[in-house]
């Protein structure tokens, strides 16, 4: 797949130091469309939609906001904690709007899988089907994410 000019622009905003210190792509050299297509394929196999996943992530993050120490255990299974920091983030796709800066960490007690996400990751998954590039610090491997969120 050949990268379009628009994609090249988005990709440049995803590089380390542009919108975030670590960026969104890790060591991934593939064009954006290819990264996204591969993860969409994976989701199909897992039988989960980006909407379902994003809903679940929002549900867990929201549950922590009003909880003591921003920590909560849901259904005796999901240990969820959110760390908020000052500031906001913008979408590398050039969407208007600012996203709160927080990191939610979720551990599934049944399978011991821990995943963590930024507020912006929920948007990136829901709106752009983008789970970040390979080896990016916030890369969310669809299979692992689904196991953590739904098991
Ligand atoms: Zn966006």
């Amino acid at each position: 797949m050949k990268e379009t000019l628009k994609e090249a622009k988005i990709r440049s905003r995803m590089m380390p130091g542009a919108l975030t210190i670590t960026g969104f792509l890790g060591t991934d050299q593939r064009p954006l469309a290819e990264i996204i297509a591969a993860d969409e394929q994976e989701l199909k196999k897992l039988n989960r939609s980006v909407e379902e996943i994003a809903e679940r992530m929002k549900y867990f993050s929201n549950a922590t906001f009003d909880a003591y120490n921003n920590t909560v255990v849901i259904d005796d299974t999901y240990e969820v904690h959110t760390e908020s920091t000052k500031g906001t983030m913008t979408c590398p796709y050039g969407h208007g709007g600012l996203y709160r800066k927080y990191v939610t960490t979720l551990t599934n007690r049944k399978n011991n899988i821990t995943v963590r996400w930024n507020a912006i990751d929920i948007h990136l998954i829901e709106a752009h089907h983008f789970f970040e590039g390979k080896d990016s610090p916030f890369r969310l491997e669809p299979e692992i994410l689904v196991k953590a969120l739904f098991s």
Side-chain angles (χ1 to χ4, degrees):
M1 265 179 263
K2 205 181 166 326
E3 193 166 57
T4 64
L5 205 65
K6 194 174 162 222
E7 283 170 340
K9 211 169 173 185
I10 296 162
R11 168 179 276 278
S12 74
R13 291 197 207 104
M14 289 182 171
M15 297 307 270
L19 293 178
T20 65
I21 296 168
T22 50
F24 298 89
L25 291 164
T27 56
D28 215 320
Q29 299 291 319
R30 294 173 296 170
L32 269 183
E34 211 175 304
I35 298 174
I36 288 165
D39 284 337
E40 283 174 340
Q41 199 75 18
E42 190 66 31
L43 287 183
K44 219 179 240 176
K45 269 193 254 163
L46 295 164
N47 220 358
R48 292 287 177 186
S49 69
V50 288
E51 291 82 10
E52 273 177 286
I53 291 171
E55 270 318 303
R56 196 85 171 139
M57 291 164 84
K58 278 183 221 168
Y59 164 72
F60 285 126
S61 286
N62 288 340
T64 61
F65 293 146
D66 300 318
Y68 177 69
N69 276 345
N70 292 333
T71 302
V72 70
V73 178
I74 295 170
D75 299 338
D76 282 330
T77 303
Y78 309 97
E79 292 177 25
V80 196
H81 173 75
T82 294
E83 203 73 59
S84 296
T85 46
K86 272 191 184 159
T88 51
M89 280 175 88
T90 55
C91 174
Y93 282 80
H95 274 139
L98 299 169
Y99 293 85
R100 275 179 67 181
K101 255 189 182 168
Y102 64 76
V103 176
T104 294
T105 306
L106 177 147
T107 298
N108 184 313
R109 285 179 177 172
K110 281 188 199 158
N111 52 27
N112 240 340
I113 293 175
T114 297
V115 287
R116 59 180 191 143
W117 61 81
N118 280 296
I120 192 104
D121 288 313
I122 301 175
H123 169 76
L124 289 173
I125 289 171
E126 190 173 33
H128 308 293
H129 305 187
F130 181 64
F131 292 74
E132 303 210 7
K134 296 277 179 202
D135 299 322
S136 176
F138 281 92
R139 160 79 184 162
L140 289 157
E141 209 54 60
E143 190 182 357
I144 294 168
L145 183 60
V146 163
K147 277 184 184 159
L149 296 176
F150 297 98
S151 297

